[in-house]
PDB file of all heavy atoms in Angstrom:
ATOM      1  N   GLU A 785      88.418  18.183 -57.554  1.00  0.00           N
ATOM      2  CA  GLU A 785      88.002  19.627 -57.721  1.00  0.00           C
ATOM      3  C   GLU A 785      88.051  20.213 -56.414  1.00  0.00           C
ATOM      4  O   GLU A 785      88.417  21.402 -56.206  1.00  0.00           O
ATOM      5  CB  GLU A 785      86.635  19.771 -58.412  1.00  0.00           C
ATOM      6  CG  GLU A 785      86.843  19.458 -59.899  1.00  0.00           C
ATOM      7  CD  GLU A 785      85.394  19.762 -60.580  1.00  0.00           C
ATOM      8  OE1 GLU A 785      84.467  20.342 -59.989  1.00  0.00           O
ATOM      9  OE2 GLU A 785      85.212  19.426 -61.847  1.00  0.00           O
ATOM     10  N   GLU A 786      87.369  19.515 -55.343  1.00  0.00           N
ATOM     11  CA  GLU A 786      87.403  19.990 -54.053  1.00  0.00           C
ATOM     12  C   GLU A 786      88.802  20.053 -53.469  1.00  0.00           C
ATOM     13  O   GLU A 786      89.079  21.094 -52.713  1.00  0.00           O
ATOM     14  CB  GLU A 786      86.497  19.051 -53.132  1.00  0.00           C
ATOM     15  CG  GLU A 786      85.023  19.196 -53.358  1.00  0.00           C
ATOM     16  CD  GLU A 786      84.317  18.140 -52.613  1.00  0.00           C
ATOM     17  OE1 GLU A 786      83.995  18.399 -51.459  1.00  0.00           O
ATOM     18  OE2 GLU A 786      84.031  16.979 -53.168  1.00  0.00           O
ATOM     19  N   ARG A 787      89.604  19.115 -53.807  1.00  0.00           N
ATOM     20  CA  ARG A 787      91.015  19.183 -53.328  1.00  0.00           C
ATOM     21  C   ARG A 787      91.707  20.395 -53.822  1.00  0.00           C
ATOM     22  O   ARG A 787      92.440  21.048 -53.032  1.00  0.00           O
ATOM     23  CB  ARG A 787      91.788  17.900 -53.847  1.00  0.00           C
ATOM     24  CG  ARG A 787      93.252  17.929 -53.580  1.00  0.00           C
ATOM     25  CD  ARG A 787      94.007  17.133 -54.615  1.00  0.00           C
ATOM     26  NE  ARG A 787      93.855  17.533 -55.872  1.00  0.00           N
ATOM     27  CZ  ARG A 787      94.264  16.878 -57.032  1.00  0.00           C
ATOM     28  NH1 ARG A 787      94.831  15.657 -56.956  1.00  0.00           N
ATOM     29  NH2 ARG A 787      94.124  17.459 -58.168  1.00  0.00           N
ATOM     30  N   ASP A 788      91.475  20.787 -55.109  1.00  0.00           N
ATOM     31  CA  ASP A 788      92.149  21.903 -55.709  1.00  0.00           C
ATOM     32  C   ASP A 788      91.665  23.249 -55.137  1.00  0.00           C
ATOM     33  O   ASP A 788      92.524  24.237 -54.934  1.00  0.00           O
ATOM     34  CB  ASP A 788      92.010  21.898 -57.246  1.00  0.00           C
ATOM     35  CG  ASP A 788      92.664  20.816 -57.882  1.00  0.00           C
ATOM     36  OD1 ASP A 788      93.582  20.113 -57.253  1.00  0.00           O
ATOM     37  OD2 ASP A 788      92.372  20.573 -59.013  1.00  0.00           O
ATOM     38  N   ARG A 789      90.387  23.285 -54.645  1.00  0.00           N
ATOM     39  CA  ARG A 789      89.940  24.476 -53.969  1.00  0.00           C
ATOM     40  C   ARG A 789      90.527  24.563 -52.485  1.00  0.00           C
ATOM     41  O   ARG A 789      90.874  25.623 -52.169  1.00  0.00           O
ATOM     42  CB  ARG A 789      88.406  24.405 -53.885  1.00  0.00           C
ATOM     43  CG  ARG A 789      87.627  24.699 -55.230  1.00  0.00           C
ATOM     44  CD  ARG A 789      86.189  24.978 -54.967  1.00  0.00           C
ATOM     45  NE  ARG A 789      85.508  23.843 -54.550  1.00  0.00           N
ATOM     46  CZ  ARG A 789      84.860  22.936 -55.251  1.00  0.00           C
ATOM     47  NH1 ARG A 789      84.978  22.980 -56.560  1.00  0.00           N
ATOM     48  NH2 ARG A 789      84.247  21.969 -54.747  1.00  0.00           N
ATOM     49  N   GLU A 790      90.701  23.414 -51.854  1.00  0.00           N
ATOM     50  CA  GLU A 790      91.373  23.435 -50.535  1.00  0.00           C
ATOM     51  C   GLU A 790      92.799  23.854 -50.724  1.00  0.00           C
ATOM     52  O   GLU A 790      93.283  24.688 -49.893  1.00  0.00           O
ATOM     53  CB  GLU A 790      91.216  22.120 -49.855  1.00  0.00           C
ATOM     54  CG  GLU A 790      91.857  21.937 -48.606  1.00  0.00           C
ATOM     55  CD  GLU A 790      91.145  22.721 -47.463  1.00  0.00           C
ATOM     56  OE1 GLU A 790      90.087  23.331 -47.753  1.00  0.00           O
ATOM     57  OE2 GLU A 790      91.670  22.947 -46.359  1.00  0.00           O
ATOM     58  N   LEU A 791      93.456  23.318 -51.715  1.00  0.00           N
ATOM     59  CA  LEU A 791      94.813  23.859 -52.032  1.00  0.00           C
ATOM     60  C   LEU A 791      94.938  25.252 -52.221  1.00  0.00           C
ATOM     61  O   LEU A 791      95.860  25.909 -51.670  1.00  0.00           O
ATOM     62  CB  LEU A 791      95.440  23.060 -53.175  1.00  0.00           C
ATOM     63  CG  LEU A 791      96.854  23.329 -53.584  1.00  0.00           C
ATOM     64  CD1 LEU A 791      97.836  23.002 -52.438  1.00  0.00           C
ATOM     65  CD2 LEU A 791      97.195  22.541 -54.818  1.00  0.00           C
ATOM     66  N   ALA A 792      93.982  25.822 -53.029  1.00  0.00           N
ATOM     67  CA  ALA A 792      94.027  27.256 -53.265  1.00  0.00           C
ATOM     68  C   ALA A 792      93.847  27.994 -51.941  1.00  0.00           C
ATOM     69  O   ALA A 792      94.422  29.140 -51.729  1.00  0.00           O
ATOM     70  CB  ALA A 792      92.914  27.680 -54.212  1.00  0.00           C
ATOM     71  N   ALA A 793      92.930  27.521 -51.079  1.00  0.00           N
ATOM     72  CA  ALA A 793      92.733  28.174 -49.753  1.00  0.00           C
ATOM     73  C   ALA A 793      93.931  28.085 -48.897  1.00  0.00           C
ATOM     74  O   ALA A 793      94.235  29.102 -48.152  1.00  0.00           O
ATOM     75  CB  ALA A 793      91.501  27.596 -49.048  1.00  0.00           C
ATOM     76  N   LEU A 794      94.652  26.961 -49.039  1.00  0.00           N
ATOM     77  CA  LEU A 794      95.910  26.932 -48.254  1.00  0.00           C
ATOM     78  C   LEU A 794      96.972  27.872 -48.701  1.00  0.00           C
ATOM     79  O   LEU A 794      97.694  28.494 -47.986  1.00  0.00           O
ATOM     80  CB  LEU A 794      96.428  25.386 -48.300  1.00  0.00           C
ATOM     81  CG  LEU A 794      95.697  24.385 -47.429  1.00  0.00           C
ATOM     82  CD1 LEU A 794      96.065  23.129 -47.899  1.00  0.00           C
ATOM     83  CD2 LEU A 794      95.922  24.584 -45.939  1.00  0.00           C
ATOM     84  N   ARG A 795      96.969  27.967 -50.036  1.00  0.00           N
ATOM     85  CA  ARG A 795      97.975  29.005 -50.651  1.00  0.00           C
ATOM     86  C   ARG A 795      97.688  30.414 -50.174  1.00  0.00           C
ATOM     87  O   ARG A 795      98.480  31.130 -49.750  1.00  0.00           O
ATOM     88  CB  ARG A 795      97.925  28.949 -52.142  1.00  0.00           C
ATOM     89  CG  ARG A 795      98.482  27.690 -52.788  1.00  0.00           C
ATOM     90  CD  ARG A 795      98.671  27.896 -54.232  1.00  0.00           C
ATOM     91  NE  ARG A 795      99.138  26.802 -54.986  1.00  0.00           N
ATOM     92  CZ  ARG A 795      98.404  25.967 -55.809  1.00  0.00           C
ATOM     93  NH1 ARG A 795      97.083  26.335 -56.011  1.00  0.00           N
ATOM     94  NH2 ARG A 795      98.915  24.835 -56.363  1.00  0.00           N
ATOM     95  N   ALA A 796      96.317  30.759 -50.224  1.00  0.00           N
ATOM     96  CA  ALA A 796      95.907  32.086 -49.817  1.00  0.00           C
ATOM     97  C   ALA A 796      96.224  32.270 -48.245  1.00  0.00           C
ATOM     98  O   ALA A 796      96.618  33.306 -47.816  1.00  0.00           O
ATOM     99  CB  ALA A 796      94.491  32.311 -50.061  1.00  0.00           C
ATOM    100  N   GLY A 797      95.924  31.211 -47.411  1.00  0.00           N
ATOM    101  CA  GLY A 797      96.182  31.277 -46.013  1.00  0.00           C
ATOM    102  C   GLY A 797      97.616  31.502 -45.774  1.00  0.00           C
ATOM    103  O   GLY A 797      97.989  32.313 -44.803  1.00  0.00           O
ATOM    104  N   ALA A 798      98.520  30.882 -46.445  1.00  0.00           N
ATOM    105  CA  ALA A 798     100.006  30.899 -46.135  1.00  0.00           C
ATOM    106  C   ALA A 798     100.393  32.429 -46.590  1.00  0.00           C
ATOM    107  O   ALA A 798     101.204  32.959 -45.814  1.00  0.00           O
ATOM    108  CB  ALA A 798     100.700  29.944 -47.080  1.00  0.00           C
ATOM    109  N   ALA A 799      99.828  32.915 -47.606  1.00  0.00           N
ATOM    110  CA  ALA A 799     100.311  34.310 -47.985  1.00  0.00           C
ATOM    111  C   ALA A 799      99.705  35.324 -46.917  1.00  0.00           C
ATOM    112  O   ALA A 799     100.443  36.312 -46.563  1.00  0.00           O
ATOM    113  CB  ALA A 799      99.760  34.652 -49.347  1.00  0.00           C
ATOM    114  N   TYR A 800      98.501  35.118 -46.420  1.00  0.00           N
ATOM    115  CA  TYR A 800      97.895  35.958 -45.490  1.00  0.00           C
ATOM    116  C   TYR A 800      98.640  35.960 -44.169  1.00  0.00           C
ATOM    117  O   TYR A 800      98.861  36.938 -43.584  1.00  0.00           O
ATOM    118  CB  TYR A 800      96.441  35.620 -45.314  1.00  0.00           C
ATOM    119  CG  TYR A 800      95.681  36.612 -44.626  1.00  0.00           C
ATOM    120  CD1 TYR A 800      95.463  37.950 -45.066  1.00  0.00           C
ATOM    121  CD2 TYR A 800      94.972  36.330 -43.401  1.00  0.00           C
ATOM    122  CE1 TYR A 800      94.641  38.815 -44.420  1.00  0.00           C
ATOM    123  CE2 TYR A 800      94.281  37.221 -42.717  1.00  0.00           C
ATOM    124  CZ  TYR A 800      94.057  38.447 -43.208  1.00  0.00           C
ATOM    125  OH  TYR A 800      93.315  39.471 -42.633  1.00  0.00           O
ATOM    126  N   ALA A 801      99.033  34.721 -43.749  1.00  0.00           N
ATOM    127  CA  ALA A 801      99.784  34.563 -42.523  1.00  0.00           C
ATOM    128  C   ALA A 801     101.145  35.252 -42.546  1.00  0.00           C
ATOM    129  O   ALA A 801     101.620  35.955 -41.651  1.00  0.00           O
ATOM    130  CB  ALA A 801      99.962  33.142 -42.194  1.00  0.00           C
ATOM    131  N   GLN A 802     101.753  35.108 -43.679  1.00  0.00           N
ATOM    132  CA  GLN A 802     103.121  35.840 -43.851  1.00  0.00           C
ATOM    133  C   GLN A 802     102.975  37.266 -43.834  1.00  0.00           C
ATOM    134  O   GLN A 802     103.771  37.956 -43.245  1.00  0.00           O
ATOM    135  CB  GLN A 802     103.849  35.332 -45.226  1.00  0.00           C
ATOM    136  CG  GLN A 802     105.219  35.995 -45.348  1.00  0.00           C
ATOM    137  CD  GLN A 802     105.954  35.423 -46.479  1.00  0.00           C
ATOM    138  OE1 GLN A 802     106.573  34.304 -46.411  1.00  0.00           O
ATOM    139  NE2 GLN A 802     105.874  36.043 -47.628  1.00  0.00           N
ATOM    140  N   SER A 803     101.880  37.761 -44.455  1.00  0.00           N
ATOM    141  CA  SER A 803     101.667  39.267 -44.472  1.00  0.00           C
ATOM    142  C   SER A 803     101.393  39.800 -43.024  1.00  0.00           C
ATOM    143  O   SER A 803     101.508  41.010 -42.821  1.00  0.00           O
ATOM    144  CB  SER A 803     100.477  39.653 -45.363  1.00  0.00           C
ATOM    145  OG  SER A 803      99.236  39.268 -44.758  1.00  0.00           O
ATOM    146  N   HIS A 804     101.045  38.934 -42.065  1.00  0.00           N
ATOM    147  CA  HIS A 804     100.804  39.355 -40.726  1.00  0.00           C
ATOM    148  C   HIS A 804     102.126  39.030 -39.857  1.00  0.00           C
ATOM    149  O   HIS A 804     102.056  39.064 -38.602  1.00  0.00           O
ATOM    150  CB  HIS A 804      99.557  38.577 -40.072  1.00  0.00           C
ATOM    151  CG  HIS A 804      98.335  39.118 -40.490  1.00  0.00           C
ATOM    152  ND1 HIS A 804      97.830  39.187 -41.814  1.00  0.00           N
ATOM    153  CD2 HIS A 804      97.340  39.922 -39.685  1.00  0.00           C
ATOM    154  CE1 HIS A 804      96.647  39.790 -41.795  1.00  0.00           C
ATOM    155  NE2 HIS A 804      96.446  40.220 -40.595  1.00  0.00           N
ATOM    156  N   GLY A 805     103.274  38.820 -40.462  1.00  0.00           N
ATOM    157  CA  GLY A 805     104.508  38.665 -39.707  1.00  0.00           C
ATOM    158  C   GLY A 805     104.662  37.234 -39.202  1.00  0.00           C
ATOM    159  O   GLY A 805     105.506  37.038 -38.284  1.00  0.00           O
ATOM    160  N   LEU A 806     103.878  36.248 -39.619  1.00  0.00           N
ATOM    161  CA  LEU A 806     103.931  34.875 -39.005  1.00  0.00           C
ATOM    162  C   LEU A 806     104.789  34.081 -39.953  1.00  0.00           C
ATOM    163  O   LEU A 806     104.631  34.115 -41.190  1.00  0.00           O
ATOM    164  CB  LEU A 806     102.537  34.285 -38.916  1.00  0.00           C
ATOM    165  CG  LEU A 806     101.684  35.006 -37.885  1.00  0.00           C
ATOM    166  CD1 LEU A 806     100.150  34.662 -38.152  1.00  0.00           C
ATOM    167  CD2 LEU A 806     102.067  34.614 -36.447  1.00  0.00           C
ATOM    168  N   GLU A 807     105.639  33.161 -39.344  1.00  0.00           N
ATOM    169  CA  GLU A 807     106.270  32.112 -40.122  1.00  0.00           C
ATOM    170  C   GLU A 807     105.329  31.045 -40.381  1.00  0.00           C
ATOM    171  O   GLU A 807     104.518  30.740 -39.551  1.00  0.00           O
ATOM    172  CB  GLU A 807     107.484  31.612 -39.414  1.00  0.00           C
ATOM    173  CG  GLU A 807     108.345  30.541 -40.209  1.00  0.00           C
ATOM    174  CD  GLU A 807     109.654  30.101 -39.572  1.00  0.00           C
ATOM    175  OE1 GLU A 807     110.415  31.045 -39.227  1.00  0.00           O
ATOM    176  OE2 GLU A 807     109.831  29.012 -39.326  1.00  0.00           O
ATOM    177  N   VAL A 808     105.321  30.489 -41.508  1.00  0.00           N
ATOM    178  CA  VAL A 808     104.299  29.563 -41.965  1.00  0.00           C
ATOM    179  C   VAL A 808     104.907  28.106 -42.104  1.00  0.00           C
ATOM    180  O   VAL A 808     105.825  27.891 -42.929  1.00  0.00           O
ATOM    181  CB  VAL A 808     103.629  29.947 -43.311  1.00  0.00           C
ATOM    182  CG1 VAL A 808     102.400  29.050 -43.577  1.00  0.00           C
ATOM    183  CG2 VAL A 808     103.173  31.400 -43.256  1.00  0.00           C
ATOM    184  N   HIS A 809     104.265  27.148 -41.460  1.00  0.00           N
ATOM    185  CA  HIS A 809     104.533  25.723 -41.524  1.00  0.00           C
ATOM    186  C   HIS A 809     103.238  25.032 -41.965  1.00  0.00           C
ATOM    187  O   HIS A 809     102.200  25.647 -42.080  1.00  0.00           O
ATOM    188  CB  HIS A 809     104.990  25.137 -40.187  1.00  0.00           C
ATOM    189  CG  HIS A 809     106.211  25.686 -39.640  1.00  0.00           C
ATOM    190  ND1 HIS A 809     106.681  25.415 -38.343  1.00  0.00           N
ATOM    191  CD2 HIS A 809     107.016  26.773 -40.116  1.00  0.00           C
ATOM    192  CE1 HIS A 809     107.869  26.146 -38.132  1.00  0.00           C
ATOM    193  NE2 HIS A 809     107.997  26.952 -39.170  1.00  0.00           N
ATOM    194  N   ALA A 810     103.381  23.782 -42.289  1.00  0.00           N
ATOM    195  CA  ALA A 810     102.138  23.062 -42.742  1.00  0.00           C
ATOM    196  C   ALA A 810     102.431  21.517 -42.407  1.00  0.00           C
ATOM    197  O   ALA A 810     103.439  20.972 -42.308  1.00  0.00           O
ATOM    198  CB  ALA A 810     101.790  23.229 -44.139  1.00  0.00           C
ATOM    199  N   GLY A 811     101.238  20.815 -42.185  1.00  0.00           N
ATOM    200  CA  GLY A 811     101.395  19.383 -41.931  1.00  0.00           C
ATOM    201  C   GLY A 811     100.101  18.771 -41.585  1.00  0.00           C
ATOM    202  O   GLY A 811      99.050  19.455 -41.428  1.00  0.00           O
ATOM    203  N   HIS A 812     100.073  17.469 -41.623  1.00  0.00           N
ATOM    204  CA  HIS A 812      98.971  16.550 -41.283  1.00  0.00           C
ATOM    205  C   HIS A 812      98.508  15.741 -42.484  1.00  0.00           C
ATOM    206  O   HIS A 812      97.958  16.282 -43.458  1.00  0.00           O
ATOM    207  CB  HIS A 812      97.740  17.263 -40.548  1.00  0.00           C
ATOM    208  CG  HIS A 812      96.941  16.256 -39.866  1.00  0.00           C
ATOM    209  ND1 HIS A 812      97.234  15.790 -38.653  1.00  0.00           N
ATOM    210  CD2 HIS A 812      95.841  15.536 -40.171  1.00  0.00           C
ATOM    211  CE1 HIS A 812      96.350  14.948 -38.144  1.00  0.00           C
ATOM    212  NE2 HIS A 812      95.464  14.782 -39.126  1.00  0.00           N
ATOM    213  N   GLY A 813      98.791  14.575 -42.559  1.00  0.00           N
ATOM    214  CA  GLY A 813      98.327  13.617 -43.587  1.00  0.00           C
ATOM    215  C   GLY A 813      99.171  13.588 -44.895  1.00  0.00           C
ATOM    216  O   GLY A 813      98.789  12.860 -45.791  1.00  0.00           O
ATOM    217  N   LEU A 814     100.229  14.361 -45.000  1.00  0.00           N
ATOM    218  CA  LEU A 814     100.989  14.421 -46.149  1.00  0.00           C
ATOM    219  C   LEU A 814     101.739  13.125 -46.404  1.00  0.00           C
ATOM    220  O   LEU A 814     102.263  12.452 -45.585  1.00  0.00           O
ATOM    221  CB  LEU A 814     101.973  15.519 -46.040  1.00  0.00           C
ATOM    222  CG  LEU A 814     101.463  16.949 -45.961  1.00  0.00           C
ATOM    223  CD1 LEU A 814     102.469  17.965 -45.589  1.00  0.00           C
ATOM    224  CD2 LEU A 814     100.744  17.316 -47.271  1.00  0.00           C
ATOM    225  N   THR A 815     101.648  12.740 -47.833  1.00  0.00           N
ATOM    226  CA  THR A 815     102.317  11.531 -48.357  1.00  0.00           C
ATOM    227  C   THR A 815     103.183  11.967 -49.467  1.00  0.00           C
ATOM    228  O   THR A 815     103.198  13.042 -49.944  1.00  0.00           O
ATOM    229  CB  THR A 815     101.220  10.547 -48.803  1.00  0.00           C
ATOM    230  OG1 THR A 815     100.486  11.097 -49.965  1.00  0.00           O
ATOM    231  CG2 THR A 815     100.214  10.313 -47.636  1.00  0.00           C
ATOM    232  N   TYR A 816     103.849  10.945 -50.087  1.00  0.00           N
ATOM    233  CA  TYR A 816     104.595  11.182 -51.315  1.00  0.00           C
ATOM    234  C   TYR A 816     103.724  11.763 -52.434  1.00  0.00           C
ATOM    235  O   TYR A 816     104.104  12.629 -53.239  1.00  0.00           O
ATOM    236  CB  TYR A 816     105.122   9.960 -51.866  1.00  0.00           C
ATOM    237  CG  TYR A 816     106.236   9.297 -50.996  1.00  0.00           C
ATOM    238  CD1 TYR A 816     106.539   7.902 -51.161  1.00  0.00           C
ATOM    239  CD2 TYR A 816     107.047   9.980 -50.092  1.00  0.00           C
ATOM    240  CE1 TYR A 816     107.534   7.344 -50.317  1.00  0.00           C
ATOM    241  CE2 TYR A 816     107.985   9.449 -49.326  1.00  0.00           C
ATOM    242  CZ  TYR A 816     108.294   8.095 -49.474  1.00  0.00           C
ATOM    243  OH  TYR A 816     109.237   7.490 -48.699  1.00  0.00           O
ATOM    244  N   ASP A 817     102.442  11.325 -52.483  1.00  0.00           N
ATOM    245  CA  ASP A 817     101.467  11.761 -53.568  1.00  0.00           C
ATOM    246  C   ASP A 817     100.996  13.139 -53.303  1.00  0.00           C
ATOM    247  O   ASP A 817     100.610  13.889 -54.296  1.00  0.00           O
ATOM    248  CB  ASP A 817     100.355  10.834 -53.617  1.00  0.00           C
ATOM    249  CG  ASP A 817     100.796   9.476 -54.133  1.00  0.00           C
ATOM    250  OD1 ASP A 817     101.726   9.326 -54.844  1.00  0.00           O
ATOM    251  OD2 ASP A 817     100.026   8.487 -53.895  1.00  0.00           O
ATOM    252  N   THR A 818     100.963  13.721 -51.995  1.00  0.00           N
ATOM    253  CA  THR A 818     100.402  14.920 -51.773  1.00  0.00           C
ATOM    254  C   THR A 818     101.353  16.111 -51.454  1.00  0.00           C
ATOM    255  O   THR A 818     100.918  17.233 -51.333  1.00  0.00           O
ATOM    256  CB  THR A 818      99.288  14.851 -50.691  1.00  0.00           C
ATOM    257  OG1 THR A 818      99.850  14.266 -49.504  1.00  0.00           O
ATOM    258  CG2 THR A 818      98.176  14.059 -51.131  1.00  0.00           C
ATOM    259  N   VAL A 819     102.564  15.680 -51.064  1.00  0.00           N
ATOM    260  CA  VAL A 819     103.473  16.693 -50.581  1.00  0.00           C
ATOM    261  C   VAL A 819     103.961  17.859 -51.588  1.00  0.00           C
ATOM    262  O   VAL A 819     104.134  18.863 -51.245  1.00  0.00           O
ATOM    263  CB  VAL A 819     104.739  15.994 -50.028  1.00  0.00           C
ATOM    264  CG1 VAL A 819     105.676  15.532 -51.085  1.00  0.00           C
ATOM    265  CG2 VAL A 819     105.391  16.915 -49.073  1.00  0.00           C
ATOM    266  N   GLY A 820     104.054  17.493 -52.901  1.00  0.00           N
ATOM    267  CA  GLY A 820     104.474  18.404 -53.875  1.00  0.00           C
ATOM    268  C   GLY A 820     103.901  19.741 -53.912  1.00  0.00           C
ATOM    269  O   GLY A 820     104.458  20.748 -53.757  1.00  0.00           O
ATOM    270  N   PRO A 821     102.554  19.814 -54.124  1.00  0.00           N
ATOM    271  CA  PRO A 821     101.859  21.081 -54.214  1.00  0.00           C
ATOM    272  C   PRO A 821     101.946  21.926 -52.923  1.00  0.00           C
ATOM    273  O   PRO A 821     101.983  23.091 -53.051  1.00  0.00           O
ATOM    274  CB  PRO A 821     100.402  20.685 -54.572  1.00  0.00           C
ATOM    275  CG  PRO A 821     100.416  19.440 -55.139  1.00  0.00           C
ATOM    276  CD  PRO A 821     101.608  18.619 -54.517  1.00  0.00           C
ATOM    277  N   ILE A 822     102.000  21.180 -51.777  1.00  0.00           N
ATOM    278  CA  ILE A 822     102.210  21.977 -50.539  1.00  0.00           C
ATOM    279  C   ILE A 822     103.588  22.531 -50.416  1.00  0.00           C
ATOM    280  O   ILE A 822     103.822  23.664 -50.070  1.00  0.00           O
ATOM    281  CB  ILE A 822     101.772  21.063 -49.291  1.00  0.00           C
ATOM    282  CG1 ILE A 822     100.368  20.695 -49.403  1.00  0.00           C
ATOM    283  CG2 ILE A 822     102.116  21.867 -48.084  1.00  0.00           C
ATOM    284  CD1 ILE A 822      99.338  21.734 -49.351  1.00  0.00           C
ATOM    285  N   ALA A 823     104.574  21.642 -50.715  1.00  0.00           N
ATOM    286  CA  ALA A 823     105.909  22.069 -50.690  1.00  0.00           C
ATOM    287  C   ALA A 823     106.247  23.193 -51.605  1.00  0.00           C
ATOM    288  O   ALA A 823     107.186  23.984 -51.391  1.00  0.00           O
ATOM    289  CB  ALA A 823     106.882  20.833 -51.022  1.00  0.00           C
ATOM    290  N   ALA A 824     105.439  23.388 -52.679  1.00  0.00           N
ATOM    291  CA  ALA A 824     105.706  24.400 -53.686  1.00  0.00           C
ATOM    292  C   ALA A 824     105.214  25.729 -53.207  1.00  0.00           C
ATOM    293  O   ALA A 824     105.454  26.799 -53.901  1.00  0.00           O
ATOM    294  CB  ALA A 824     105.031  23.993 -54.973  1.00  0.00           C
ATOM    295  N   ILE A 825     104.331  25.821 -52.205  1.00  0.00           N
ATOM    296  CA  ILE A 825     103.915  27.137 -51.690  1.00  0.00           C
ATOM    297  C   ILE A 825     105.105  27.870 -51.114  1.00  0.00           C
ATOM    298  O   ILE A 825     105.656  27.558 -50.189  1.00  0.00           O
ATOM    299  CB  ILE A 825     102.772  26.873 -50.711  1.00  0.00           C
ATOM    300  CG1 ILE A 825     101.574  26.130 -51.250  1.00  0.00           C
ATOM    301  CG2 ILE A 825     102.320  28.271 -50.073  1.00  0.00           C
ATOM    302  CD1 ILE A 825     100.533  25.678 -50.263  1.00  0.00           C
ATOM    303  N   PRO A 826     105.332  29.045 -51.728  1.00  0.00           N
ATOM    304  CA  PRO A 826     106.666  29.746 -51.347  1.00  0.00           C
ATOM    305  C   PRO A 826     106.632  30.224 -49.912  1.00  0.00           C
ATOM    306  O   PRO A 826     107.756  30.337 -49.423  1.00  0.00           O
ATOM    307  CB  PRO A 826     106.695  30.894 -52.435  1.00  0.00           C
ATOM    308  CG  PRO A 826     105.347  31.078 -52.868  1.00  0.00           C
ATOM    309  CD  PRO A 826     104.711  29.780 -52.814  1.00  0.00           C
ATOM    310  N   GLU A 827     105.574  30.600 -49.323  1.00  0.00           N
ATOM    311  CA  GLU A 827     105.528  31.096 -47.981  1.00  0.00           C
ATOM    312  C   GLU A 827     105.740  30.068 -46.887  1.00  0.00           C
ATOM    313  O   GLU A 827     106.144  30.449 -45.774  1.00  0.00           O
ATOM    314  CB  GLU A 827     104.240  31.820 -47.642  1.00  0.00           C
ATOM    315  CG  GLU A 827     103.956  33.084 -48.497  1.00  0.00           C
ATOM    316  CD  GLU A 827     103.270  32.790 -49.854  1.00  0.00           C
ATOM    317  OE1 GLU A 827     103.049  31.645 -50.208  1.00  0.00           O
ATOM    318  OE2 GLU A 827     103.172  33.749 -50.622  1.00  0.00           O
TER     319      GLU A 827
END
């Protein structure tokens, strides 16, 4: 449940960063099990 809230916050952060003209990257700790939801964030 906490993971999903953090994922939602990352999604919101990515959208907010793009709205400010920033290109958005992500990383740290990603594995085969965790990469999918992050990779799916369109920004």
Side-chain angles (χ1 to χ4, degrees):
E785 289 186 7
E786 293 174 80
R787 174 204 62 187
D788 292 346
R789 287 195 293 271
E790 180 68 10
L791 179 61
L794 286 164
R795 289 192 185 111
Y800 194 61
Q802 183 172 277
S803 76
H804 280 69
L806 294 160
E807 183 172 308
V808 186
H809 300 176
H812 201 80
L814 292 169
T815 69
Y816 293 157
D817 292 333
T818 56
V819 73
I822 300 297
I825 297 173
E827 293 84 5

